[in-house]
Amino acid sequence: MAKNTRGTVKAFSPFDARADAEALRKAMKGMGTDEETILKILTGRNNSQRQEIASAFKTLFGRDLVDDLKSELTGKFETLMVSLMRPAYIFDAHALKHAIKGAGTNEKVLTEILASRTPAEVRNIKQVYLQEYEANLEDKITGETSGHFQRLLVVLLQANRDPDGRVDEGLVEQDAQVLFRAGELKWGTDEEKFITILGTRSVSHLRRVFDKYMTISGFQIEETIDRETSGDLEKLLLAVVKCIRSIPAYFAETLYYSMKGAGTDDETLIRVMVSRSEIDLLDIRQELRKNFAKSLHQMIQKDTSGDYRKALLLLCGGDDE
């Protein structure tokens, strides 16, 4: 992983895994639970430090920290604390496993993770999935999905997007024309062309293609996708386009809609806050401010409550007034 400096959660210093383990044991021992101590420690340490705390906890007390958290905490707060404890390398594989487990597939999770992760991250997810669950992720996904949605997921799972390099303007023009002919100019849509071009070309190339497409057609590529496709494929194509344009902007939008209007999509809120907290949550906050004139801090403040809210606000970091 590249050294990500745009996260809100950094390594805590001076760090003492044993002292933290002892404080957590004390917070959960006997009658009642001291949630404040738990949330302060777990949001105040980065993921690798949390793993060291879990190891010290087992060494000192012969107990499993995650099991103790599960038995002492409840509801969304429990889900958030347990998510923070999940080793970073396994986080995405675990989310995907649960998205394709049991009755019904959670297409939203498949879309979010496979559209937003880099080829290197996708390769890592596939490897971890095989190690941890002794199953092939691609086989699992193809077994639970169908049609063009499935095809694009499989293309993204190959993790063979062209690396960024010098952009060939001739090929940019050609791809933009192919997309125009496959969508706006055609009766019925040639989805395969969209899948191949959006799923395999480099990020810098596609950004130029989107500009050229606008020049040729008079439409943003998103407008065409919106008009010409529907359902899960449409959502996945749009997510891919948004992530090519800007991953932080994509997550800002995801967070915005997880809290906008009646009810909160807590599963999405937790997944994004935890998975981006050490990568680009500062950029996501900026994009939310810029694109929706909202502060992430204030949205969380308004939409959540109790210890769950306190912990999310600590992960969020500051307020972007």
Side-chain angles (χ1 to χ4, degrees):
M1 288 289 285
K3 271 281 159 259
N4 294 300
T5 54
R6 300 295 298 157
T8 52
V9 173
K10 305 268 197 274
F12 181 79
S13 179
F15 173 59
D16 181 342
R18 287 196 161 209
D20 284 346
E22 281 164 0
L24 287 169
R25 177 71 184 123
K26 190 172 165 215
M28 293 188 277
K29 200 175 171 178
M31 291 293 289
T33 306
D34 172 7
E35 287 87 359
E36 189 83 14
T37 294
I38 296 171
L39 71 88
K40 284 214 163 113
I41 291 176
L42 296 187
T43 61
R45 311 292 181 266
N46 70 9
N47 192 276
S48 69
Q49 291 177 326
R50 291 181 211 123
Q51 306 317 317
E52 287 184 56
I53 294 168
S55 165
F57 196 86
K58 196 163 272 184
T59 299
L60 295 172
F61 312 114
R63 304 176 68 94
D64 186 286
L65 176 54
V66 173
D67 289 347
D68 279 12
L69 289 167
K70 285 178 177 170
S71 72
E72 293 293 325
L73 310 175
T74 55
K76 295 176 280 205
F77 180 57
E78 176 196 340
T79 307
L80 177 57
M81 292 300 107
V82 170
S83 297
L84 285 170
M85 287 307 303
R86 195 162 290 123
Y89 79 92
I90 202 182
F91 194 89
D92 288 339
H94 179 274
L96 289 169
K97 179 169 170 55
H98 284 267
I100 45 189
K101 188 173 118 182
T105 305
N106 189 337
E107 290 83 5
K108 186 184 235 173
V109 175
L110 297 185
T111 294
E112 179 195 300
I113 292 177
L114 293 174
S116 66
R117 302 313 192 248
T118 64
E121 287 168 337
V122 173
R123 283 193 287 273
N124 181 53
I125 291 167
K126 290 196 294 188
Q127 200 181 338
V128 169
Y129 200 94
L130 194 57
Q131 282 161 2
E132 296 291 326
Y133 308 122
E134 297 178 345
N136 177 300
L137 177 58
E138 188 183 316
D139 292 347
K140 289 289 179 194
I141 287 178
T142 48
E144 296 293 331
T145 55
S146 62
H148 289 106
F149 175 61
Q150 179 200 75
R151 300 271 176 267
L152 180 50
L153 288 173
V154 171
V155 167
L156 295 170
L157 277 166
Q158 302 319 299
N160 281 332
R161 186 178 291 291
D162 298 335
D164 270 336
R166 199 180 59 77
V167 175
D168 175 343
E169 288 300 329
L171 189 57
V172 166
E173 173 84 38
Q174 189 183 319
D175 278 350
Q177 291 287 357
V178 166
L179 290 173
F180 185 45
R181 287 197 294 274
E184 295 292 343
L185 284 188
K186 198 170 185 298
W187 190 78
T189 309
D190 184 350
E191 291 91 352
E192 200 161 272
K193 297 278 194 293
F194 279 83
I195 289 169
T196 301
I197 291 173
L198 294 178
T200 62
R201 303 289 197 258
S202 76
V203 171
S204 48
H205 172 83
L206 283 170
R207 285 177 182 162
R208 292 286 304 118
V209 169
F210 299 160
D211 291 344
K212 181 63 76 178
Y213 185 86
M214 180 77 192
T215 310
I216 293 170
S217 69
F219 298 115
Q220 293 286 13
I221 188 93
E222 290 91 335
E223 297 174 79
T224 296
I225 291 169
D226 196 30
R227 259 198 306 276
E228 300 289 330
T229 61
S230 61
D232 293 325
L233 174 67
E234 178 192 345
K235 292 189 185 107
L236 180 55
L237 284 167
L238 286 173
V240 169
V241 168
K242 286 167 183 173
C243 289
I244 293 291
R245 289 192 189 276
S246 162
I247 290 171
Y250 169 71
F251 281 114
E253 184 180 335
T254 304
L255 284 173
Y256 177 76
Y257 285 109
S258 76
M259 291 182 278
K260 183 184 181 284
T264 305
D265 176 356
D266 293 290
E267 195 189 326
T268 298
L269 178 56
I270 291 170
R271 189 177 55 253
V272 175
M273 292 296 289
V274 173
S275 65
R276 309 314 290 185
S277 61
E278 292 182 40
I279 300 175
D280 54 4
L281 197 51
L282 289 170
D283 295 327
I284 292 168
R285 272 171 35 189
Q286 250 175 353
E287 292 291 335
L288 192 68
R289 191 97 203 84
K290 190 175 89 190
N291 301 334
F292 298 98
K294 289 277 187 198
S295 132
L296 179 57
H297 196 279
Q298 283 164 21
M299 285 192 86
I300 292 168
Q301 184 83 39
K302 193 168 111 301
D303 244 69
T304 59
S305 61
D307 294 314
Y308 175 54
R309 170 164 68 190
K310 281 183 197 165
L312 285 172
L313 290 175
L314 286 170
L315 285 177
C316 173
D319 187 0
D320 307 290
E321 276 289 10

